[in-house]
Amino acid sequence: METKLIRIAELAKEKPDLKFTSLAHLLNEENLTRCHHALPSGKATGVLRTTKEEYGENLAGNISDLVERMKKRSYRPVPVRRAYIAKPGTDKKRPLGIPEHEDKIVQRGMAKILNAIYEPLFLDCSFGFRPNRNCHDAIKILNVYIEKRYTNFIVDVDIKGFFDNVDHEWMMKFLQHRIADPAFLRIVARFLKGGYMEEGKFYKTDVGTPQGGIISPILANVYLHYVLDLWFEKVVRKSCKGHAYMVRYADDFVCCFQSETEANNFYKALIERLRKFNLEIAEDKSKIIPFGKYAERNCKRKGCNKPDTFDFLGFTHYCSKSIDGFFRVKRKTSAKKVRAKLKECKEWLKANRTTDIHSVITRLQRSLRGYYNYYCITDNTPHVRNFKHKVRTLFFKWMNRRSQKKSFNFEKFDLFLRRYPLPLPKVKVNIYELREEISYIL
């Protein structure tokens, strides 16, 4: 399959107008078996609660039956199981759709095919859920656009409930630009229309693509490629007299403009553009702000103390200066993310305060290392150090409540941490180092 996918990617790149007419045959027994083995164990189960291990007890028979149903067009995905996770910084819950294991197998196979077709077509401004690209790469490119290009205004936009409002009809039209295999498209449509189960009741899905599905990220990228990326590149940028750039990670994106007029025009046009595809802007979370080399000077002229900031990918970006006095963009962990992570840490420590303290400190060390790997970027180490101090305080508080009698005093706590220290934060990602894979964008 890998050889065939490479060939598909080559054809997609060489012939932008080519439509692929035979794809469903790639979802054969051999490839779907590989997809089963590639799926991680111990993940949340769907409506039927089938685990990977249970499905694998009769793997050959199950896969053979699955392929036969797909050939007969009788395969229909099981409705996803609706679950909710907390949204950082709010009391709201984010809905997830957890598919059955068998549907995960099919989705993984289809996602590979879709990635092979569309990855050569996606534009450089897109970073989310793509191979060899990550959040830090998006921040690095954005940093170059602000510091090294003529950026004076930032348009910070939030699409309201994107994954819940993807229009199925438009999605299928977009896929039909490159795919003309009715069998493959039929399966995609059935995934979109599969519905979900919540508290024993079935609900239809006429719009949206469930977060939690393996195929959802690539479908979201395809949708926004046509709705946003191509429109910005072919229409917006060409109509601008000044510089204009966009950096998008999934449905989260930031646009940089040299001219305030063009930034305002783009914002108005964007509202109409998204409305055409049944999407809308969350106006309370979207804004146009002066940002860049001259933002502080212009802000003082208007009587403001400091330029506004904006949040992107978990960081608050703000105008500052280097040691030499030159303009620099700096970043700190978003206050909303810090509060959410501390709340999560507090609840976990409270629930596990009677667990063996060595297991607790091991888990805490591992959690902090993961936090550092993402948030320890250039300029943010002091803020991460402050976060670590708050975690240390929470750890002392809840380990001291293991019984009615206080088991720790500060002296004992200090001795314990000397033997089992919390990891120290240090810079993991240098924002000014661009990898070869993304340096060509500039």
Side-chain angles (χ1 to χ4, degrees):
M1 185 177 184
E2 299 303 324
T3 305
K4 292 179 180 179
L5 291 178
I6 291 171
R7 182 55 185 156
I8 287 173
E10 290 173 349
L11 289 172
K13 188 174 182 179
E14 292 169 5
K15 302 177 180 179
D17 298 325
L18 176 67
K19 288 190 176 184
F20 293 88
T21 57
S22 181
L23 297 172
H25 74 281
L26 293 173
L27 300 173
N28 54 39
E29 291 184 23
E30 180 184 355
N31 294 331
L32 291 178
T33 301
R34 289 180 180 176
C35 289
H36 162 80
H37 290 303
L39 288 169
S41 302
K43 293 295 183 180
T45 54
V47 172
L48 304 179
R49 301 291 180 174
T50 306
T51 64
K52 177 182 177 180
E53 290 72 25
E54 290 171 345
Y55 192 87
E57 289 174 1
N58 182 27
L59 182 60
N62 288 332
I63 294 293
S64 177
D65 177 64
L66 171 60
V67 172
E68 189 65 25
R69 281 182 282 134
M70 293 174 75
K71 288 179 179 178
K72 292 180 178 179
R73 304 180 184 180
S74 62
Y75 166 72
R76 288 186 178 277
V78 177
V80 297
R81 178 171 66 85
R82 176 60 63 91
Y84 294 90
I85 58 172
K87 292 182 73 173
T90 68
D91 296 329
K92 297 180 180 179
K93 300 276 188 178
R94 188 189 304 277
L96 294 181
I98 303 172
E100 267 301 299
H101 180 75
E102 184 175 79
D103 297 332
K104 290 179 183 178
I105 294 173
V106 179
Q107 286 193 30
R108 186 175 181 87
M110 297 181 74
K112 283 187 174 185
I113 296 169
L114 289 170
N115 273 310
I117 295 171
Y118 285 98
E119 181 58 31
L121 303 179
F122 289 153
L123 303 186
D124 293 332
C125 62
S126 168
F127 287 85
F129 309 113
R130 295 181 59 187
N132 301 318
R133 288 173 173 234
N134 57 40
C135 296
H136 294 139
D137 293 331
I139 292 171
K140 289 177 182 180
I141 293 297
L142 179 61
N143 187 70
V144 174
Y145 289 156
I146 296 174
E147 289 190 1
K148 305 298 182 183
R149 302 291 189 266
Y150 297 96
T151 294
N152 295 321
F153 294 89
I154 292 288
V155 181
D156 180 23
V157 180
D158 185 272
I159 300 178
K160 191 174 182 180
F162 170 73
F163 284 92
D164 298 328
N165 292 289
V166 169
D167 187 276
H168 293 174
E169 188 176 343
W170 277 111
M171 174 62 79
M172 298 310 297
K173 286 180 180 179
F174 294 149
L175 291 172
Q176 287 165 10
H177 278 295
R178 301 308 310 270
I179 300 172
D181 182 350
F184 188 89
L185 291 173
R186 187 184 302 111
I187 299 174
V188 174
R190 286 180 177 178
F191 272 119
L192 292 174
K193 300 286 187 184
Y196 65 92
M197 296 290 291
E198 184 174 8
E199 296 180 352
K201 294 182 180 179
F202 172 75
Y203 296 88
K204 292 183 179 180
T205 47
D206 297 321
V207 293
T209 175
Q211 295 184 68
I214 297 173
I215 203 173
S216 294
I218 178 64
L219 290 180
N221 269 339
V222 170
Y223 199 82
L224 287 173
H225 172 73
Y226 288 103
V227 172
L228 189 60
D229 299 356
L230 287 176
W231 174 68
F232 187 87
E233 187 68 24
K234 304 296 183 183
V235 178
V236 175
R237 290 192 71 184
K238 287 188 176 181
S239 66
C240 290
K241 294 181 180 179
H243 289 225
Y245 306 98
M246 180 174 71
V247 178
R248 180 176 68 81
Y249 192 95
D251 61 326
D252 194 3
F253 65 98
V254 170
C255 298
C256 308
F257 287 90
Q258 183 178 0
S259 163
E260 182 177 14
T261 302
E262 289 172 351
N264 287 320
N265 291 341
F266 165 74
Y267 188 84
K268 293 174 184 175
L270 178 64
I271 293 173
E272 296 302 319
R273 175 72 178 177
L274 294 179
R275 185 179 291 130
K276 177 181 177 181
F277 299 98
N278 296 324
L279 298 173
E280 60 179 308
I281 287 175
E283 296 189 10
D284 56 324
K285 298 180 182 178
S286 305
K287 58 187 176 181
I288 302 173
I289 60 169
F291 203 91
K293 296 177 183 178
Y294 310 109
E296 187 173 354
R297 184 190 67 186
N298 296 335
C299 189
K300 288 180 179 178
R301 288 178 180 176
K302 295 179 180 179
C304 303
N305 293 327
K306 290 182 179 180
D308 283 340
T309 63
F310 68 94
D311 288 357
F312 183 58
L313 299 180
F315 294 93
T316 297
H317 301 242
Y318 60 97
C319 296
S320 187
K321 291 182 179 179
S322 65
I323 297 175
D324 301 326
F326 295 105
F327 168 75
R328 262 189 61 188
V329 182
K330 293 187 178 181
R331 294 155 195 86
K332 60 182 178 181
T333 312
S334 166
K336 182 173 71 173
K337 298 292 184 182
V338 172
R339 286 194 299 269
K341 194 66 179 177
L342 287 174
K343 182 180 178 182
E344 179 187 326
C345 181
K346 172 190 169 184
E347 290 174 353
W348 186 85
L349 286 170
K350 182 179 178 181
N352 292 273
R353 63 185 182 274
T354 57
T355 306
D356 178 63
I357 193 169
H358 298 92
S359 299
V360 174
I361 191 66
T362 301
R363 166 69 184 271
L364 211 55
Q365 290 168 337
R366 188 168 64 247
S367 178
L368 280 173
R369 289 190 190 99
Y371 187 88
Y372 295 167
N373 286 339
Y374 185 76
Y375 286 106
C376 277
I377 68 172
T378 308
D379 300 317
N380 194 38
T381 310
H383 300 282
V384 176
R385 194 177 296 120
N386 185 45
F387 172 81
K388 179 214 164 193
H389 177 72
K390 291 179 179 178
V391 169
R392 184 179 182 273
T393 303
L394 286 171
F395 179 53
F396 174 74
K397 173 183 175 180
W398 289 107
M399 291 303 101
N400 213 12
R401 296 189 179 184
R402 295 160 70 86
S403 64
Q404 291 182 341
K405 182 180 178 181
K406 289 190 175 182
S407 54
F408 257 0
N409 56 33
F410 282 111
E411 185 178 345
K412 289 182 179 179
F413 183 65
D414 189 53
L415 287 171
F416 179 80
L417 285 185
R418 285 184 186 180
R419 187 167 184 180
Y420 304 99
L422 295 174
L424 294 173
K426 58 182 179 180
V427 175
K428 300 285 186 180
V429 178
N430 185 346
I431 290 300
Y432 294 92
E433 285 183 0
L434 294 177
R435 295 186 297 109
E436 290 183 9
E437 290 88 342
I438 64 166
S439 59
Y440 72 91
I441 295 174
L442 304 171

